């Protein structure tokens, strides 16, 4: 059996309103859709998401539906899809997002021509009917780059601030090397250690000028809209980021960016804290302190000292939770 050119991994839970749009967009990619292996992980859906996706089997001959009777979360679902993927290249598609016609053939051709480990793309955000372009924070396009060179500096937006798995295509060899899997069981911020691992350990990447990935924002079921324990997943995810940096041959080069990024997200969650249950707020405070304690002391002190007044006031209660 021939190896598929591209594996598309689609984790989906209760996405009946949108899954047909994403599947239809996959029909409008390659002239021969059989070059795609499409792996939909139906992660404990109760609204018929898996059945709606399976209805596209005749138009998408490489479509596979994997069913979890109970939900395991997006990270585990993507990992399940990765374990099953056999394509020369791999990409991810969230079930409420979609591609413009011909987007996947264009980026597959580009990664082949450039010969890089992974290729990132800009995306179009669709929010309540309004579309805006969001660009990857790297101005050099269509050229081979060193991923490690695009992590720092700490005070500018860099490629580790653009985690989004669906906006890119990845050589299948990265999966074999253990560089594409996510921190199992996590439902938010799972893409943070994922993007850091890629940029620390992959050998090459590029950014494309192609624009054809659509990101649906403002959906009520999106995890960016909830305020429960799942939002605390950024804590173990950044503990993993800090572990990756600590084990790197050049940790001092990357500590400032890792710490700054963690503090920015911690302050964002603290700003939303009034919408959280008080119990989760306590966990948030103690978790921030515990995660900061995994940093080298000089890194933690220097990063806290660089916070502006507003963020410093936000994080003070968490720092007092040390006792």
């Amino acid at each position: 059996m021939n190896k598929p050119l591209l594996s598309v991994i689609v984790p989906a839970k209760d996405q009946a309103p949108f899954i047909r749009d994403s599947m239809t967009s996959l029909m409008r990619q390659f002239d021969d859709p059989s070059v795609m292996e499409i792996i939909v992980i139906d992660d404990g859906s109760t609204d018929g998401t898996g059945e709606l996706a399976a209805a596209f089997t005749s138009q998408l001959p490489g479509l596979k539906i994997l069913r979890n009777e109970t939900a395991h979360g997006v990270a585990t679902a993507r990992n399940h899809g990765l374990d099953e993927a056999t394509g020369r290249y791999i990409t991810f598609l969230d079930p409420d997002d979609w591609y413009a016609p011909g987007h996947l053939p264009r980026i597959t051709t580009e990664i082949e021509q450039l010969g890089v480990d992974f290729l990132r793309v800009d995306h179009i955000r669709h929010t309540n009917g309004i579309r805006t372009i969001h660009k990857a924070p790297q101005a050099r396009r269509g050229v081979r780059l060193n991923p490690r060179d695009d992590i720092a500096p700490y005070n500018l937006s860099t490629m580790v601030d653009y985690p989004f798995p669906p906006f890119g295509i990845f050589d299948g060899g990265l999966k074999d090397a253990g560089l594409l899997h996510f921190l199992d069981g996590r439902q938010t911020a799972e893409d943070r250690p994922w993007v850091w691992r890629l940029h620390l350990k992959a050998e090459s990447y590029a950014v494309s000028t192609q624009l054809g990935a659509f990101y649906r924002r403002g959906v009520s079921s999106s995890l960016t809209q909830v305020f429960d324990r799942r939002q605390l997943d950024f804590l173990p995810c950044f503990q993993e980021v800090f572990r990756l940096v600590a084990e790197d041959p050049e940790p001092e080069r990357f500590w400032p960016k890792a710490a700054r990024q963690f503090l920015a997200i911690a302050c964002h969650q603290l700003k939303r804290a009034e919408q959280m249950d008080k119990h989760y707020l306590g966990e948030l405070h103690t978790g921030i302190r515990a995660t900061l304690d995994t940093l080298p002391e000089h890194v933690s002190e220097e990063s806290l000292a660089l916070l502006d007044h507003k963020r410093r006031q936000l994080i003070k209660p968490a720092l007092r939770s040390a006792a």
Side-chain angles (χ1 to χ4, degrees), residues 119-169:
L119 178 76
R120 304 306 307 276
V121 299
D122 303 328
H123 68 277
I124 303 164
R125 291 189 184 178
H126 180 94
T127 309
N128 299 322
I130 298 172
R131 294 180 177 182
T132 54
I133 295 173
H134 288 256
K135 293 194 171 186
Q138 167 55 263
R140 300 179 65 197
R141 301 298 172 105
V143 295
R144 186 184 182 95
L145 301 168
N146 183 338
R148 292 171 65 85
D149 290 343
D150 290 333
I151 295 174
Y154 75 88
N155 58 338
L156 294 179
S157 181
T158 72
M159 289 302 293
V160 293
D161 298 306
Y162 192 79
F164 316 114
F167 309 136
I169 185 170

Side-chain angles (χ1 to χ4, degrees), residues 16-126:
F18 307 115
I19 191 69
R20 283 171 289 202
D21 290 344
S22 61
M23 293 294 103
T24 299
S25 78
L26 289 172
M27 290 170 51
R28 298 169 178 170
Q29 297 305 309
F30 293 89
D31 291 337
D32 176 8
S34 69
V35 302
M36 289 186 294
E37 173 185 60
I38 301 164
I39 304 172
V40 175
I41 306 91
D42 181 9
D43 193 34
S45 297
T46 59
D47 65 352
T49 291
E51 291 78 6
L52 289 170
F56 287 81
T57 302
S58 61
Q59 297 102 321
L60 297 169
L63 178 61
K64 303 176 184 177
I65 310 293
L66 308 180
R67 169 76 181 173
N68 294 332
E69 292 304 319
T70 58
H72 298 294
V74 65
T76 301
R78 286 196 188 117
N79 288 344
H80 191 183
L82 281 166
D83 291 341
E84 295 290 326
T86 62
R88 172 70 183 85
Y89 297 102
I90 293 171
T91 193
F92 302 93
L93 175 62
D94 285 347
D96 51 356
D97 299 340
W98 71 97
Y99 299 128
H103 175 68
L104 291 181
R106 289 191 289 271
I107 63 172
T108 303
T109 297
E110 187 166 1
I111 193 173
E112 285 181 317
Q113 291 174 342
L114 291 171
V116 292
D117 288 334
F118 63 100
L119 178 76
R120 304 306 307 276
V121 299
D122 303 328
H123 68 277
I124 303 164
R125 291 189 184 178
H126 180 94

